[in-house]
Amino acid sequence: MHTIHDPAGVFAVLLAALLFSAWLSDLLPMHIAAILPVLGIILGPEVLGIIEGGTVLQILGSIGVMYIFFSAGLSANIASRTARRSIVPTSVILKQVFIWTIMPSMAGIAVGLAAGASFIRACAIGLFFASAGARSALKLNKAKFQEQASYGMPAFVPIFSALCLLVLDTLMSGADARSFMLVLAFSFIGGGLVWIVFPRLAALFLRHVKIKGSIEVWFLLFLVFGAAYAGTFFSIPAWFTAFMTGVALSAAAAPSADSELNRIPVRDDIFIPAALLFMGVSARISGILPTGNWILVAVIFVIGGLAARILIVFLSKRFALVTEPLIGLAVPFASFSLAISWILYGSGLFDSVLFLSALALAIISSIISGISMKQGSSGAEAPSAAGGDKSRLAIPNRILIALSKPSSIAQLVELSGILHGTANSSPIFPLVVRMPEETASQQSADSETLLATAVMQLSQMQKSALPLQIEALNAGLGIIDSAIQKNADTIIIGWNKPPRLSHAFFGNVIDQVVSGTSQMVLVARAQFPWKQIKKIYVVAPVLVNRHPGFAAALQCIERLAEATYAHIHFIVAEENAEEVQKIGKSLASFNSAQTSHFHSWRDIPSLIQVSSGSHAMIALISARPGEASWNPAFERLPHVLAEKNSAANVLMLYMPAFLPEEAQASEYQQPLPEPLAESSAEALLAEAVRAGRIRVDMQTSAIADGIYELMFAALPHTEKNVLQSVADHFIEMVQRQPIEIEPGVVLLHDRIENISYPIVCFGAHKKGFRLSTLDVPVQVIVIILVPHNQGAEEHLRFLAEIAALFHSHDLRERLIAANMPENLLSQH
């Protein structure tokens, strides 16, 4: 294989490795920092030989290692921790020091000695075991590893690791005792000067700089690399100077909105990946195989590292230092730990076996950490803001969706899933309001079908759903009462009426909800899936920046832009354009937004040009009538824009009127349904197999015959006319409004008399049944029969568990592949 030496080729390989690692990290519960070094080994000279650790990659990698240590120093977050120091008892601090540093260090020393290493090498292993957790993860992993409660750690962990690494690295440099003491002295003096001078210098510069943005980054990087270069004249390692610069700047970044250093920009987009790839490319693996005990050493190293993490979790829970389940396995061995292992590898304290063992430990710990954080993370994803800024609301968080028509369910649920965010474990509430004048049996069946469809779609999106079914004389009042009862902060309603036939804002129900609530209300009209949005026009009224709910409206738009990679075009009144842009630039998605100004409301339609197939969305931010930023001229604008731009999605955002404390209240929160456990899932399948309610490799040619076969298998002793009636109802349902758990899997459900517990049937047809209402042939039929007196919420919760069984246990593939029902119990 031809080795690439040209800088352009090296850079192209680096970007390809980064993109592939990002894709693999999204696919697997694995930290991207653990994937890149493995790719480096594969692409390196000792495997494929595509790339070598030449000058280009070495320069980028050296800069990346300094970035890692600088970011680790910033993660210490000294300022916010110092502000809370007076309220933290000394006993708690001592327990943290022991649990997070001393205990894993001792475990590492014990592992090193057990593997036959020298004492100083055993100390290096102990340092590595105590190094995990510095928040220097790549930005591409933000959504997966962003929970502060699960991914944070005491500030002294990275500081302890850096100081110990300095001592060990200096010892291995071969210097005599005098030189050793001089290097340490210069390092501490240099760190002290950085601590004193840099925060003041940075604050002075950032306060007076007129060109905001990249110039701030350049100045901070100048401090890092300038200090690192100056330190080399005194034999101070460049990585240590970069780390101390990060610590010093984190100490100056006070947690207040007025601080110039409150949001220090660190760009790790390419240099940290280059460092991680360079580590793998430069690692030597050719000399490992001849050594006989390398497998034993690696196994002892990995087991010891995981044991140290588990001890941190156990002792932290034991002494009540944390409350989060598993706390992300006390955070994985990520980029900071790998950088430390690289320094130890370069100094000779780690050989190739130990370095590759450290990489294996990083991979395994990242997988376990990702799984545990996914299961144990809690809370809403909210925009970062200072505590005193009351316009920054942690919403949308608890979202209620008002359902009325089957045709709009998919669009409303999709919108709610996007606005819910990626790290929000609060439930989504699908709601159906029943009218008393309708027949009880018909309204119950129709409303449960609507809710079941919504629950299935939310389950596919891996969102927690608590379906609601209420009876009310007035639909608007029912929605308002349900939102209050469930403490929903956001209400989503569909808008289906032709705009030119109405002279009010929308329909009566929407008017009642808007005027009767203080929550954020989103009125949506979808002409195409929300995920396909390419451009978002945002119309903001005059004085919108003074509204307390403006930040929440921006949060909605930002989540839509992040999920769809859509470009944002602001349309704002000229007199307050500067204030609106200032607020919008605090969110990443608005930094590159285009802006147009209007002088009067009549100018707005001419500023929005939506062509057919352009997949544009119009978002109108509105206050409620009587509020300062509301204008009577705004009343007709949604209809004018929707009529003129009939191909566009339209979203009307009524900003919330409550304060953050009210938005974040949790007295009405209910526990989320537990996911279907492995044992419960297998027990459900085993019971269905024993009862003969599973048909695999069905030979019927029509789906109606398949439904009849499953019904008679489910209730063999029931009268045929009763079974015939239920089966006919199912056939009508699947032809009129089928519910898909996933493509190719159709769910049918109904209530019947004379059963005391839910009954589940599964049928598989390898070729699939063709239905005109579905794009994919139906290969699996799921029938659920529940007792007639079972509650609606319990019934729908059971449907969600069945959907989870398909998503988490590959039941569709197992049913299609099985030749007999008993095969299902041996395939998993």
Side-chain angles (χ1 to χ4, degrees), residues 116-138:
S118 62
F119 180 76
I120 188 171
R121 182 168 291 186
C123 291
I125 295 175
L127 166 62
F128 179 80
F129 283 6
S131 67
R135 293 197 309 120
S136 54
L138 297 174

Side-chain angles (χ1 to χ4, degrees), residues 138-360:
L138 297 174
K139 291 180 180 178
L140 289 174
N141 273 62
K142 180 181 178 183
K144 191 180 296 185
F145 292 95
Q146 70 178 348
E147 292 289 337
Q148 178 69 21
S150 298
Y151 197 51
M153 82 230 63
F156 52 76
V157 172
I159 296 175
F160 170 85
S161 302
L163 293 178
C164 292
L165 181 62
L166 174 66
V167 173
L168 291 175
D169 188 43
T170 307
L171 276 175
M172 294 301 295
S173 63
D176 53 23
R178 180 175 177 275
S179 300
F180 171 77
M181 295 305 297
L182 282 177
V183 171
L184 292 184
F186 286 142
S187 298
F188 286 115
I189 292 172
L193 291 175
V194 167
W195 178 279
I196 296 171
V197 176
F198 278 16
R200 292 171 174 81
L201 184 62
L204 180 65
F205 179 87
L206 297 178
R207 190 180 303 117
H208 292 89
V209 67
K210 295 182 179 179
I211 305 176
K212 299 290 185 181
S214 298
I215 191 68
E216 300 171 344
V217 180
W218 298 340
F219 176 74
L220 293 173
L221 296 185
F222 166 74
L223 293 181
V224 175
F225 291 103
Y229 177 71
T232 58
F233 290 97
F234 300 93
S235 300
I236 304 174
W239 59 263
F240 181 77
T241 308
F243 176 83
M244 288 306 302
T245 303
V247 173
L249 293 178
S250 78
S256 65
D258 299 330
S259 174
E260 296 292 339
L261 294 174
N262 191 45
R263 295 182 64 208
I264 298 175
V266 180
R267 303 294 176 87
D268 59 7
D269 304 87
I270 193 61
F271 292 111
I272 290 182
L276 297 169
L277 188 70
F278 177 68
M279 293 175 191
V281 170
S282 302
R284 296 291 174 255
I285 62 174
S286 57
I288 292 180
L289 293 179
T291 60
N293 64 339
W294 69 273
I295 296 180
L296 179 62
V297 172
V299 170
I300 294 175
F301 188 94
V302 171
I303 294 177
L306 293 177
R309 299 291 97 192
I310 294 172
L311 278 175
I312 290 178
V313 175
F314 174 79
L315 293 177
S316 296
K317 298 282 287 183
R318 174 65 177 81
F319 292 104
L321 299 180
V322 295
T323 58
E324 294 78 17
L326 291 182
I327 53 173
L329 191 70
V331 297
F333 294 87
S335 49
F336 180 59
S337 298
L338 292 174
I340 286 181
S341 68
W342 180 248
I343 299 296
L344 294 172
Y345 184 49
S347 67
L349 284 171
F350 271 19
D351 56 14
S352 295
V353 174
L354 290 180
F355 178 74
L356 294 177
S357 300
L359 179 57

Side-chain angles (χ1 to χ4, degrees), residues 407-408 410-415 418 457 525-536 560 563-564 566 614-617 647-650:
S407 58
S408 63
Q411 290 81 7
L412 294 180
V413 171
E414 180 191 15
L415 176 62
I418 295 174
Q457 187 173 344
R525 189 198 74 171
Q527 303 294 85
F528 56 87
W530 298 93
K531 277 283 189 179
Q532 297 179 11
I533 295 172
K534 301 302 179 186
K535 189 168 186 178
I536 302 176
L560 279 167
T564 60
S614 61
H615 289 170
M617 183 193 97
N649 284 5
V650 179

Side-chain angles (χ1 to χ4, degrees), residues 373-388:
M373 286 195 300
K374 182 179 179 180
Q375 294 176 348
S377 62
S378 61
E381 181 184 46
S384 58

Side-chain angles (χ1 to χ4, degrees), residues 583-758:
I583 297 174
K585 285 183 178 179
S586 64
L587 300 175
S589 301
F590 295 103
N591 288 334
S592 60
Q594 183 181 353
T595 304
S596 298
H597 303 150
F598 63 85
H599 298 282
S600 70
W601 296 106
R602 297 182 182 87
D603 300 334
I604 295 178
S606 63
L607 297 175
I608 299 177
Q609 303 295 331
V610 178
S611 58
S612 178
S614 61
H615 289 170
M617 183 193 97
I618 303 173
L620 300 102
I621 301 176
S622 176
R624 286 168 168 81
E627 294 178 334
S629 54
W630 183 81
N631 191 299
F634 205 66
E635 182 174 316
R636 288 292 303 153
L637 187 60
H639 299 289
V640 172
L641 293 177
E643 187 173 2
K644 178 185 176 183
N645 305 283
S646 58
N649 284 5
V650 179
L651 186 66
M652 191 77 175
L653 297 93
Y654 290 93
M655 294 178 287
F658 44 73
L659 297 177
E661 292 80 7
E662 297 172 357
Q664 296 169 357
S666 59
E667 63 176 302
Y668 294 108
Q669 289 188 5
Q670 297 183 1
L672 299 181
E674 293 292 332
L676 198 60
E678 181 82 18
S679 58
S680 300
E682 295 305 313
L684 189 151
L685 283 177
E687 195 273 338
V689 170
R690 285 193 299 269
R693 296 197 297 269
I694 296 183
R695 294 288 188 269
V696 297
D697 196 15
M698 301 174 72
Q699 300 301 317
T700 56
S701 58
I703 193 171
D705 297 330
I707 293 174
Y708 286 136
E709 181 178 345
L710 289 178
M711 284 300 304
F712 285 101
L715 301 169
H717 304 297
T718 305
E719 295 181 6
K720 289 187 177 182
N721 60 338
V722 175
L723 295 179
Q724 185 79 30
S725 174
V726 178
D728 290 342
H729 171 66
F730 283 155
I731 294 170
E732 180 187 0
M733 181 186 299
V734 79
Q735 293 174 345
R736 178 173 55 90
Q737 188 184 337
I739 302 173
E740 279 191 297
I741 296 179
E742 60 182 71
V745 181
V746 167
L747 170 68
L748 303 170
H749 68 105
D750 200 1
R751 298 172 178 272
I752 64 172
E753 302 281 357
N754 301 323
I755 63 172
S756 57
Y757 58 91

